[in-house]
Amino acid sequence: MAEPKEIDLRLAINAISDVVQNRPRPLREFDQIYMKTGDMVLQSELVARWADGKRLAFVGDGDAISICVAYLHKRGIIDYGPSEIVVYDFDERICSAVTRFADREQLGTLRSELYNCLDAFPGPTNFDCFYTNPPWGASNEGESVKVFVQRGMEATGYSGEGMVVIADDLELQWPKQVLANVQTYAVSSGFYIQKMMPRLHSYHLDDAPNLRSCNLIFKSLSSTERTVKSSAISDPGRLANFYGRENPPRVKYVRERKRLDYGKAHEDEYAFDLLEAT
Amino acid sequence: MSEIIKPGQGLLYMKVGTHARESLDDIIERKTREIEEAGFAFWGYGGSTCHPQTMVQPFARDYERRGSKIYLCMQPMVSTHFAEPLRADEFSVDGIDWQEIPDSINVLGSRYALAITDLRKEEFELPLESTKVALGNSMGAPGSKYISGRVDKACLEVAEPDASAPEKSVHIGLVADIVKPYAVYVRNRRR
């Protein structure tokens, strides 16, 4: 991991502010819950350092940590970062936000691909590492987390590292169960737990404003990339409570309604009362 | 003590008062009329703590399968709510298929609505320390800890009384039965 350097905090926060301004609004029914901005600054610096010089796949990225990482590096606010970042997300608004920002800021290392994690992973499978902040699996004992982690592992050919961001709480029982199940899954998939950074991040989450998430960092036991035979996930048992109790996935892609006034106040939000002519 | 306060019972707790510039008494009168005319009413609300699809519907279905139902238990309070009293004209159970809201039912200034019948004044104390959040990201948390700050509504299950927990009761003054389709999204499409 690269050595951290002194960072101009004002520049970093303002850069993250640029990214936040570009994000689509979250859809709660798909567990799109955004990380708070201060935590995004710290998380982006950490991810950039962790994946320095590596090829990094994001399996879903509503938070836009991928953009933050690439942008902080490009602006020279940090002098380390991944050599390539690909965001896989089923929400076309998120993919377009990545593409739009990368195009505007000339972030040549960053791109996105529309992809639903229930489909077979499209490849390539030679990424060095993956990052995911999936639906946290309160109602399915972490099964939804395991689906996203599986795709991340496939992206690395089961021979890399992964950073998984999931709920972490000292009092609630379900996050403990999910953490245990996800760690068991990682071990059974040929990975070991390299690091756990507890209760780091807060969210714009009005039904659990104090709930935090941790970073769980996996590393594969094998350094040899293996051939991945990725396949679609259709087992009803894995999907029944994917987005909460009795809420299986029903949407393949969230499509973006294209508009010319992206990022501006929408015309249907306001009207003008004109000044009287003098 | 109310029949509702028994271990295992499901309820949706919320604070109520002025909503979209309409007083609680006026709302009760209007909703009672709607139930008489349409057989049910939509009770508008907002926030994500009782999201129609991820929280209220599965919660209510779970009780229905057990041959039971959940109650809407409301704590009247003095409040101001200056949301625009815009009438929703469509509702949806799943956010995909939308239907027109009957003219006799008016949901004002809300994003979501509960389907209710038998709206009635019923006074009792709800011991939040003897409840727990039934589902979602705060599942298992005591109601007494969960209901605080901006969190003013919750899907709760009544638990066995916990004598060791600090008492935190709230006064319920208004009750309704929650009926199919339990909770819906609402929107206004007409310009």
Side-chain angles (χ1 to χ4, degrees):
Chain A
M1 198 182 271
E3 287 298 314
K5 68 162 195 171
E6 290 284 319
I7 292 174
D8 185 321
L9 194 57
R10 183 188 298 269
L11 281 180
I13 293 170
N14 284 344
I16 303 306
S17 177
D18 290 344
V19 176
V20 169
Q21 184 82 353
N22 179 65
R23 280 191 311 199
R25 281 182 258 204
L27 298 172
R28 182 60 202 270
E29 48 270 51
F30 302 121
D31 259 354
Q32 290 177 348
I33 299 160
Y34 288 170
M35 191 182 284
K36 295 208 169 176
T37 305
D39 294 333
M40 287 178 66
V41 176
L42 302 178
Q43 181 76 350
S44 301
E45 188 280 329
L46 174 75
V47 172
R49 198 153 31 95
W50 169 69
D52 182 34
K54 295 176 179 170
R55 301 180 64 226
L56 171 61
F58 276 76
V59 185
D61 187 27
D63 289 325
I65 295 293
S66 56
I67 306 179
C68 296
V69 168
Y71 190 43
L72 289 173
H73 194 193
K74 170 79 176 183
R75 293 275 306 271
I77 296 167
I78 52 177
D79 55 11
Y80 39 82
S83 59
E84 182 186 358
I85 302 173
V86 182
V87 178
Y88 296 89
D89 204 294
F90 87 129
D91 187 337
E92 191 180 35
R93 302 173 312 143
I94 288 172
C95 290
S96 296
V98 169
T99 305
R100 198 176 287 120
F101 199 96
D103 182 53
R104 193 179 75 205
E105 299 295 337
Q106 298 294 294
L107 307 178
T109 58
L110 175 66
R111 69 179 178 87
S112 65
E113 190 166 331
L114 189 64
Y115 164 67
N116 186 317
C117 68
L118 302 183
D119 293 330
F121 187 71
T125 58
N126 59 355
F127 285 96
D128 300 305
C129 43
F130 72 89
Y131 178 103
T132 189
N133 187 343
W136 288 347
S139 303
N140 59 22
E141 299 185 328
E143 201 57 50
S144 46
V145 179
K146 284 154 66 175
V147 168
F148 279 71
V149 169
Q150 177 186 330
R151 295 314 186 199
M153 290 172 172
E154 290 173 358
T156 66
Y158 287 87
S159 68
E161 296 179 39
M163 187 182 295
V164 182
V165 181
I166 46 177
D168 183 20
D169 188 273
L170 289 174
E171 293 181 5
L172 297 173
Q173 183 58 31
W174 71 262
K176 298 183 183 80
Q177 188 63 56
V178 169
L179 274 165
N181 290 349
V182 170
Q183 292 179 48
T184 302
Y185 176 74
V187 169
S188 71
S189 303
F191 284 71
Y192 66 95
I193 318 306
Q194 198 179 31
K195 198 171 193 177
M196 199 273 201
M197 305 166 79
R199 297 180 300 286
L200 282 182
H201 326 105
S202 300
Y203 292 83
H204 295 281
L205 181 56
D206 56 3
D207 62 335
N210 299 320
L211 184 59
R212 294 194 171 204
S213 63
C214 63
N215 287 330
L216 206 53
I217 301 178
F218 302 141
K219 189 173 175 62
S220 65
L221 287 165
S222 166
S223 56
T224 310
E225 187 185 319
R226 66 164 128 137
T227 306
V228 174
K229 284 191 73 175
S230 183
S231 54
I233 294 170
S234 56
D235 175 5
R238 295 189 77 181
L239 302 179
N241 302 304
F242 199 82
Y243 290 123
R245 193 187 295 177
E246 298 183 20
N247 273 294
R250 300 167 301 141
V251 172
K252 183 174 176 68
Y253 298 126
V254 175
R255 287 293 182 183
E256 180 177 40
R257 290 200 171 130
K258 310 284 185 191
R259 52 193 317 146
L260 294 172
D261 55 355
Y262 185 87
K264 309 286 189 298
H266 298 168
E267 279 187 9
D268 59 1
E269 289 178 358
Y270 63 91
F272 294 130
D273 281 354
L274 297 178
L275 291 166
E276 288 181 23
T278 54
Chain B
M1 183 177 279
S2 167
E3 274 186 8
I4 294 171
I5 310 302
K6 60 185 181 198
Q9 178 61 55
L11 60 92
L12 198 156
Y13 161 79
M14 73 167 64
K15 293 177 182 172
V16 291
T18 296
H19 182 85
R21 306 174 190 182
E22 188 180 18
S23 75
L24 183 58
D25 285 341
D26 288 345
I27 295 171
I28 293 169
E29 189 182 320
R30 182 164 61 81
K31 291 296 160 189
T32 303
R33 200 166 54 241
E34 289 176 8
I35 291 169
E36 285 169 6
E37 289 175 10
F40 75 104
F42 279 140
W43 188 273
Y45 69 101
S48 291
T49 56
C50 294
H51 189 278
Q53 210 172 348
T54 62
M55 299 290 282
V56 182
Q57 291 174 15
F59 182 42
R61 279 197 298 265
D62 189 24
Y63 276 84
E64 188 198 11
R65 276 194 294 270
R66 294 189 244 160
S68 184
K69 61 184 171 188
I70 59 173
Y71 296 95
L72 173 60
C73 295
M74 294 174 273
Q75 177 189 6
M77 57 183 294
V78 177
S79 69
T80 53
H81 186 262
F82 290 105
E84 288 291 331
L86 289 174
R87 180 185 183 274
D89 47 46
E90 292 183 323
F91 76 95
S92 172
V93 172
D94 58 10
I96 295 173
D97 296 319
W98 292 85
Q99 301 174 55
E100 278 203 19
I101 295 176
D103 288 339
S104 56
I105 294 177
N106 289 291
V107 187
L108 307 178
S110 297
R111 293 170 57 208
Y112 310 133
L114 297 166
I116 60 164
T117 61
D118 198 11
L119 178 64
R120 57 202 183 267
K121 288 190 171 173
E122 200 172 316
E123 311 258 345
F124 60 91
E125 299 298 313
L126 172 62
L128 286 176
E129 73 279 8
S130 298
T131 65
K132 59 184 182 183
V133 178
L135 71 174
N137 285 322
S138 295
M139 181 170 55
S144 50
K145 287 185 98 172
Y146 184 64
I147 301 293
S148 67
R150 286 186 299 163
V151 177
D152 62 354
K153 53 183 81 67
C155 294
L156 299 174
E157 186 173 315
V158 179
E160 294 292 343
D162 181 358
S164 66
E167 192 181 325
K168 186 182 174 184
S169 290
V170 289
H171 184 76
I172 301 300
L174 196 60
V175 172
D177 293 359
I178 297 178
V179 295
K180 279 183 177 172
Y182 311 120
V184 295
Y185 303 86
V186 296
R187 68 181 183 187
N188 67 320
R189 298 284 279 183
R190 295 173 195 150
R191 295 287 307 275

